[in-house]
Amino acid sequence: MRRILTILDLFRVDTSNPDLMQAQMRALHNHVPLLYLILAINSTAVAVTHLGVAPNWITVYPLVGLLSVCALRLGLWLRRRQRPLDAQATPAKLRATIALAGLLAASFMAWGVALLRYGDAYAQAHVLFYVGNTMIACAFCLAHLRAASLLVMAIVVVPFCLYVGYLDNHVMRAIALNLLVVSGALAFVLLTYHRDFTRLIGQQVELERLSRDNLRLANIDTLTGLPNRRSFFTSLEAATQAAEARGDGFVVGLVDLDGFKPVNDAHGHGAGDAVLQETAGRLQAVLGDSGVVARLGGDEFGLILSSAHGATALAKTGEALCGALAAPFRLPNGGSAQIAASIGFASCPEAGYKSAILVERADYALYYAKANSRGSAVLFTEEHERLLRTQSVIEQALRHADLAREMSLVYQPIVDVRSGRTIAFEALARWKSPELGQISPAVFVPIAERSGLITRITAVLFGQALAAARAWPDSIALSFNLSMADIASPQAAANIVATVKASGLAPGRVVLEATETALIQDVDQAQKVLRTLRANGIAIALDDFGTGYSSLSYVHRLPLDKLKIDRSFISEITTDPASRDIVTSILALARNLKLCCVVEGIETAEQARLLESLGCVQMQGYHFHRPMGFSDTLDYLDAEVARAPHRVQAVA
Ligand code: C2E
Ligand code: CA
Ligand code: CA
């Protein structure tokens, strides 16, 4: 019983394997038209040799009927080739094909048998040849549909052989035996072929699945599940092309988290990962279907806002995005973290149609936001375009500058107000470009930092500063400003130490100033570098203190000697109680951490008096002296020596 069922299975469509059915359908699309062509030509040839031999109602009429059915089916198959496969309808189509194959096989075979009774031995031999040959050709054309192929063979061979055996003609019997043997072999080959074909399709499907998975993985950020950088740029390219074709626009956004690194450093990578995942979710929640959110790497995210936003609508979206990220983040360890995000937008076509340019401009808007309004979104405008152009002019001039000739230093005294004596000079860079004239360090230093030129500038200036300091009395220190790139590696630290040693100036007279932003990019690295410097006797000052966003949490982790309170607190200290409170608390903090404090930007005697009453000792600012050239520092020091004793007496 079971064996019969297995045999019956050979004639069924395997509906449990949809991929196989699709592949069978595709193969039939190619082979079935060929089958009908062979059938038509072979049958017509037989009919022609029997014309006039057998009556027309046997030769011509049945054939016309059968060939009409074949022509209809051929038309259908040819039309199917133009259309995509319909997976739902495939099983029914395959079943219909099997049934029709059986029906046509039986009909043509019956027609052939009917013709056998007419004509001479040649004509009969032609019919035998026709039946066997055509059956084999059709079985081959249907090879991908095992059931149809076997059915055709069974329907033709079995009755045909029985009939021929019954005729009692030994030549015919021999031919029938030939056909039987060949059919048996063919059936065996077909069964093997079907098994291999099924296996091949299975492998193909698996391969396609794997390559789909690979493609998906290559385009997805595994941490957040968002599209990754590669996918973002592909989408962006598609968006620019679509916008250009349709003549409309869209907006590119770059999001950068402010204060992510401290969370990662202080709470561990698990916390950092959680923050990034949460960030992804919040960005998606705000944008919904109106945009794409991608993770570009680190704490940087990319946005593509599909609809052409007006400036006001975009500002609202920006506010909503920043607002969403300003809410506290819950950390896996139960704590929470406050993070903010700055966003740069560039809209297409206003900022360009090229994706690289759009990203560059969004990046500039982001940089602008970080420098001027942290925690907010900035849209790239014509004003930025103008700035960017100026900056690129400056960058070009800087690249081609003769640094040793064009760069110089001025020195601003840092005064101990108890003794009235200058204790140090801060070296401040000056650049006079032959083409652009005098350019402020507030302008060219950030450009040099962004373009990687700063280390060369530092090398030139540090040499000049050390030489100047050697001309001052031993009691006067040199305070020199460093950028992030200057302290980014142990090698950089070693270079600084070597330069100081080579200059002959006692390392104890050197103070290096770095901003918090420069130091917290990589706290571990900064700690190592600062330790090396301090181990060699060089002092470290944290510059612009109070302007960073995580100030207090970081000070105790960095090996520091000095804090320089940012001048933004000083300008309003006599009028704004909040500024006074901040300065008071920073002074208390410095005292607790046993750090020396310098207040900079003091412009009036009133400010100096107030700060002195709060306990400030070291001060710097226009009130004491503006930055001056090197030779002026020597006159200045001489003058100070001449007047200092009075001041000391006055204090005493
Ligand atoms: P900074 O390190 O905070 O330097 C102090 C800045 O405040 C200097 O501006 C100085 O001229 C100015 N300043 C001093 N006293 C007063 C005052 O009473 N009122 C006002 N309004 N300003 C005062 P400068 O020379 O334009 O330098 C700007 C910034 O450029 C510096 O800020 C520093 O961040 C950077 N910089 C200057 N020279 C160098 C350098 O050689 N290397 C690096 N990496 N950065 C430098
Ligand atoms: Ca400084
Ligand atoms: Ca400063």
Side-chain angles (χ1 to χ4, degrees):
M1 187 65 190
R2 177 169 288 169
R3 185 158 288 168
I4 295 174
L5 281 180
T6 335
I7 291 177
L8 278 182
D9 272 347
L10 295 178
F11 296 93
R12 284 213 182 93
V13 175
D14 182 5
T15 45
S16 67
N17 190 343
D19 298 309
L20 177 66
M21 288 195 293
Q22 298 287 303
Q24 288 176 319
M25 205 64 197
R26 271 193 297 272
L28 290 176
H29 278 175
N30 292 328
H31 297 161
V32 167
L34 197 65
L35 178 152
Y36 283 123
L37 206 66
I38 293 171
L39 201 53
I41 292 173
N42 287 7
S43 307
T44 311
V46 170
V48 168
T49 55
H50 284 74
L51 265 184
V53 176
N56 278 357
W57 63 268
I58 293 187
T59 33
V60 184
Y61 304 145
L63 183 64
V64 170
L66 283 173
L67 288 187
S68 308
V69 175
C70 291
L72 280 176
R73 286 291 293 175
L74 176 66
L76 189 75
W77 278 100
L78 289 177
R79 239 178 314 139
R80 274 183 190 163
R81 282 165 73 134
Q82 323 290 331
R83 289 200 295 255
L85 286 180
D86 174 2
Q88 295 266 298
T90 305
K93 282 181 186 162
L94 291 178
R95 277 194 204 106
T97 305
I98 296 168
L100 197 68
L103 210 65
L104 285 176
S107 309
F108 276 97
M109 200 272 301
W111 182 67
V113 167
L115 287 177
L116 258 187
R117 292 200 289 137
Y118 300 93
D120 55 11
Y122 281 120
Q124 287 181 341
H126 186 189
V127 172
L128 287 178
F129 183 76
Y130 157 75
V131 170
N133 218 5
T134 311
M135 184 271 293
I136 291 171
C138 291
F140 256 115
C141 288
L142 292 169
H144 291 94
L145 189 57
R146 181 182 61 186
S149 194
L150 291 177
L151 193 63
V152 165
M153 288 202 306
I155 285 181
V156 173
V157 174
V158 176
F160 190 78
C161 288
L162 286 178
Y163 175 75
V164 169
Y166 161 79
L167 280 186
D168 198 21
N169 174 325
H170 68 279
V171 177
M172 286 210 188
R173 281 181 182 167
I175 293 177
L177 181 68
N178 291 161
L179 189 63
L180 205 60
V181 171
V182 170
S183 303
L186 185 60
F188 176 73
V189 171
L190 277 174
L191 290 176
T192 330
Y193 178 73
H194 180 267
R195 193 194 59 211
D196 293 348
F197 181 65
T198 310
R199 206 177 287 159
L200 186 78
I201 295 301
Q203 287 169 350
Q204 225 170 39
V205 168
E206 178 64 10
L207 209 67
E208 273 166 22
R209 191 185 61 75
L210 279 177
S211 80
R212 255 200 319 273
D213 278 2
N214 268 345
L215 195 71
R216 197 177 55 81
L217 283 177
N219 284 290
I220 234 151
D221 172 59
T222 41
L223 177 65
T224 58
L226 292 180
N228 63 10
R229 189 180 190 86
R230 173 210 300 264
S231 169
F232 175 75
F233 280 95
T234 313
S235 305
L236 186 57
E237 195 56 47
T240 47
Q241 277 168 14
E244 197 162 11
R246 285 197 309 258
D248 61 2
F250 67 96
V251 177
V252 184
L254 294 180
V255 183
D256 192 276
L257 300 185
D258 299 326
F260 170 72
K261 199 135 176 47
V263 171
N264 216 19
D265 290 342
H267 300 275
H269 289 290
D273 287 354
V275 167
L276 292 174
Q277 284 164 337
E278 176 72 21
T279 302
R282 291 187 191 180
L283 290 172
Q284 277 180 317
V286 173
L287 288 190
D289 293 336
S290 70
V292 175
V293 182
R295 178 163 172 238
L296 305 183
D299 58 350
E300 209 185 39
F301 293 81
L303 313 174
I304 300 174
L305 311 185
S306 44
S307 53
H309 281 61
T312 24
L314 187 61
K316 275 221 177 80
T317 308
E319 239 167 64
L321 290 165
C322 292
L325 298 181
F329 285 77
R330 287 215 162 283
L331 302 180
N333 61 11
S336 81
Q338 189 76 43
I339 280 179
S342 305
I343 303 178
F345 285 127
S347 53
C348 168
E350 290 81 357
Y353 265 127
K354 283 223 155 42
S355 50
I357 290 186
L358 283 165
V359 168
E360 190 185 299
R361 300 194 162 164
D363 190 42
Y364 184 81
L366 173 63
Y367 160 78
Y368 193 88
K370 292 189 111 174
N372 300 288
S373 53
R374 261 175 197 279
S376 73
V378 168
L379 172 66
F380 187 86
T381 59
E382 278 173 25
E383 167 67 9
H384 298 130
E385 175 79 54
R386 205 178 49 72
L387 278 172
L388 196 60
R389 226 175 291 143
T390 321
Q391 296 199 353
S392 90
V393 169
I394 293 175
E395 187 185 321
Q396 283 315 309
L398 208 51
R399 269 185 207 286
H400 301 115
D402 177 351
L403 294 180
R405 273 243 302 276
E406 295 171 30
M407 291 282 167
S408 61
L409 286 167
V410 289
Y411 302 90
Q412 187 176 33
I414 298 170
V415 179
D416 181 329
V417 289
R418 286 175 310 193
S419 64
R421 286 273 194 155
T422 294
I423 52 165
F425 283 106
E426 177 178 2
L428 295 160
R430 294 293 176 262
W431 176 33
K432 188 159 190 205
S433 153
E435 303 112 57
L436 305 175
Q438 194 79 39
I439 297 190
S440 155
V443 172
F444 78 77
V445 168
I447 295 175
E449 285 174 343
R450 257 155 67 86
S451 56
L453 295 163
I454 192 72
T455 44
R456 277 167 51 203
I457 297 175
T458 303
V460 170
L461 292 178
F462 197 33
Q464 287 183 15
L466 290 167
R470 284 191 56 194
W472 301 327
D474 288 348
S475 59
I476 307 278
L478 165 72
S479 218
F480 187 83
N481 293 287
L482 290 181
S483 295
M484 179 173 67
D486 298 320
I487 44 170
S489 66
Q491 185 54 46
N495 286 348
I496 294 173
V497 171
T499 312
V500 173
K501 286 198 170 140
S503 75
L505 191 76
R509 288 178 60 196
V510 178
V511 181
L512 294 176
E513 300 187 5
T515 62
E516 188 188 352
T517 345
L519 292 173
I520 65 159
Q521 296 295 330
D522 187 343
V523 177
D524 296 337
Q525 182 74 270
Q527 276 176 334
K528 276 188 215 139
V529 168
L530 298 190
R531 276 201 200 105
T532 310
L533 296 173
R534 292 183 82 212
N536 284 279
I538 298 170
I540 310 294
L542 188 58
D543 205 353
D544 300 349
F545 185 70
T547 54
Y549 41 85
S550 57
S551 314
L552 302 175
S553 56
Y554 266 80
V555 180
H556 73 280
R557 295 187 58 197
L558 293 167
L560 300 171
D561 301 278
K562 268 186 191 203
L563 294 183
K564 292 191 80 172
I565 302 179
D566 191 69
R567 65 170 188 268
S568 58
F569 300 114
I570 310 308
S571 54
E572 277 152 15
I573 196 159
T574 52
T575 52
D576 177 17
S579 294
R580 198 179 316 175
D581 289 347
I582 291 171
V583 172
T584 310
S585 75
I586 296 178
L587 287 169
L589 173 85
R591 229 171 282 131
N592 277 338
L593 295 171
K594 307 216 169 10
L595 293 174
C596 169
C597 224
V598 182
V599 190
E600 57 180 355
I602 297 163
E603 295 184 348
T604 65
E606 197 189 354
Q607 288 168 348
R609 263 198 306 278
L610 177 62
L611 286 162
E612 198 170 357
S613 76
L614 295 177
C616 291
V617 174
Q618 299 189 5
M619 299 193 195
Q620 178 184 3
Y622 294 166
H623 168 65
F624 299 95
H625 213 289
R626 290 196 171 246
M628 61 192 110
F630 167 66
S631 56
D632 291 342
T633 60
L634 301 178
D635 299 340
Y636 166 88
L637 289 172
D638 287 345
E640 190 178 77
V641 170
R643 99 185 121 74
H646 304 291
R647 169 76 187 187
V648 171
Q649 274 168 8
V651 170

